[in-house]
Amino acid sequence: MQAEWQVSNALVVGYQKVIEEETRRQLEEAASTPKIEGPPTQAEQQAGQDSNKTQLVRKALAAHPGLTPAQVWGAVKGQIGKRTYVYSILKRLKDRDQIVVRRGKYYLPETPKITEGNEHQTLQ
């Protein structure tokens, strides 16, 4: 009985070594082959959609400067599902100084205009 156990134990150890070697080869092959790009993951899609929604809000503010949050929602409610998300976008843009708030209305920041003609450039 003990001899049979030793033989079966030796077989199991041998199989384990074969499995370990095969796993090591597969890992080496996986590391050396280039990754195949498949469809984007859900996180990548969400990041893309967030930037698109942010871009929608920016475009609405560029087309109609001085909108209140409710007016921004009215401009983009066909493309953005929830009203609260518009407020989140406005806060994010405000925190990043990408929009300016004056008296409760949102504006894109003004870029200084540089005029040429003088030796020194002046800001208007």
Side-chain angles (χ1 to χ4, degrees):
M1 177 84 94
Q2 192 171 14
E4 287 180 22
W5 183 83
Q6 288 176 348
V7 170
S8 63
N9 192 23
L11 287 173
V12 169
V13 169
Y15 287 134
Q16 284 178 340
K17 295 286 184 186
V18 169
I19 291 172
E20 288 174 4
E21 184 64 26
E22 189 63 29
T23 303
R24 185 185 61 80
R25 285 185 193 158
Q26 289 176 354
L27 289 174
E28 286 176 357
E29 286 179 18
S32 65
T33 58
K35 287 189 173 184
I36 299 172
E37 291 188 28
T41 63
Q42 187 174 7
E44 291 171 344
Q45 287 177 348
Q46 184 66 28
Q49 289 174 355
D50 288 348
S51 65
N52 291 343
K53 291 176 183 178
T54 303
Q55 200 62 23
L56 286 171
V57 171
R58 280 193 195 116
K59 286 180 183 178
L61 288 172
H64 309 285
L67 294 177
T68 64
Q71 292 169 329
V72 173
W73 162 246
V76 298
K77 69 179 172 184
Q79 292 98 0
I80 298 178
K82 296 186 178 180
R83 184 176 185 147
T84 55
Y85 194 71
V86 173
Y87 290 96
S88 298
I89 292 171
L90 289 171
K91 182 181 181 330
R92 186 178 332 123
L93 290 172
K94 186 178 98 176
D95 291 344
R96 293 179 184 168
D97 295 327
Q98 294 178 358
I99 59 174
V100 179
V101 182
R102 287 187 219 123
R103 295 184 180 184
K105 296 183 179 183
Y106 289 85
Y107 302 88
L108 291 176
E110 294 180 16
T111 56
K113 296 179 182 178
I114 300 174
T115 60
E116 296 181 23
N118 296 338
E119 292 178 7
H120 301 285
Q121 295 180 348
T122 59
L123 297 177
Q124 290 184 350

